[in-house]
Amino acid sequence: MEKTLIILKPDAVQRRLLGKIIARFEEKGFQILGMKMTQISESLARKHYAPHEGKDFFEPLIRYTTSAPVVVMALKGKNAIEIVRKMMGATFGSKAEPGTIRGDYAVSNRFNLIHGSDSPASAEKEIGIFFKKEELFEYNLTDIQWVYDMSTGDII
Ligand code: CDP
Ligand code: MG
């Protein structure tokens, strides 16, 4: 099981798309471990996007990220990082395939609605940036044995 950090960026809040996007992840079978609305501070945004420091879009990206409230979520599921990235679609809204979140709802190459961690290392770092321990919940979902085949002892 993997964990991943999602940010529903300021445009997702402003365009009232939170429910639709969150529903996709719930319907897919992911478990929400933590979720909150927050306005990201400049220092937090710089820390979160540190891998992009120095690139030409870094400063506009920091302004965008901090411009208005966001919703952050920690999700859990098998191969969650890769599956969420697929569901998000390509970075540029203009290039993202229909059927993906960005492909269906975004046309901008910057205002692309959603962030998802790109590796287990960045997921761990990012969840640590946005959530305190007590804001993350470990609980059983009653339908988990219908989301995965767990009858063999593995999660299939
Ligand atoms: O979000 P994702 O991992 O798909 O893309 P990224 O390459 O990690 O870039 C982070 C964010 O920077 C993107 O989601 C865009 O909002 C923004 N960006 C931009 O404004 N201009 C670019 N040329 C590339 C990315
Ligand atoms: Mg990225």
Side-chain angles (χ1 to χ4, degrees):
M1 285 287 187
E2 247 173 23
K3 294 175 188 177
T4 188
L5 189 275
I6 309 286
I7 304 173
L8 304 176
K9 294 179 176 181
D11 45 332
V13 178
Q14 296 295 323
R15 293 179 55 201
R16 305 176 177 90
L17 290 170
L18 296 176
K20 279 185 172 146
I21 298 172
I22 294 167
R24 290 188 182 213
F25 294 126
E26 283 198 295
E27 288 168 1
K28 181 73 171 168
F30 290 121
Q31 182 177 16
I32 300 172
L33 301 178
M35 178 161 72
K36 63 181 176 184
M37 180 173 274
T38 181
Q39 186 151 356
I40 301 177
S41 68
E42 192 184 322
S43 64
L44 218 68
R46 288 184 185 280
K47 200 164 152 189
H48 171 71
Y49 279 124
H52 293 306
E53 216 177 323
K55 295 182 186 167
D56 59 349
F57 63 84
F58 184 68
E59 293 303 330
L61 173 61
I62 298 303
R63 283 198 293 278
Y64 161 42
T65 308
T66 58
S67 60
V70 301
V71 168
V72 289
M73 295 195 291
L75 294 188
K76 180 174 161 183
K78 190 172 180 185
N79 296 325
I81 294 168
E82 186 192 337
I83 296 169
V84 166
R85 296 279 305 182
K86 267 195 193 149
M87 291 173 72
M88 287 163 50
T91 299
F92 291 163
S94 61
K95 298 265 162 63
E97 290 291 327
T100 66
I101 293 163
R102 289 164 169 170
D104 286 351
Y105 300 125
V107 285
S108 166
N109 293 345
R110 177 161 303 128
F111 288 9
N112 57 4
L113 300 170
I114 182 165
H115 166 84
S117 308
D118 63 7
S119 69
S122 52
E124 201 188 329
K125 178 197 139 196
E126 293 168 3
I127 291 171
I129 289 177
F130 288 102
F131 287 99
K132 297 185 194 128
K133 235 179 160 185
E134 63 268 26
E135 292 174 329
L136 295 169
F137 298 86
E138 293 284 348
Y139 58 96
N140 293 323
L141 287 172
T142 54
D143 68 352
I144 193 76
Q145 69 269 43
W146 294 108
V147 173
Y148 300 103
D149 182 353
M150 302 171 102
S151 64
T152 63
D154 293 320
I155 299 172
I156 307 292

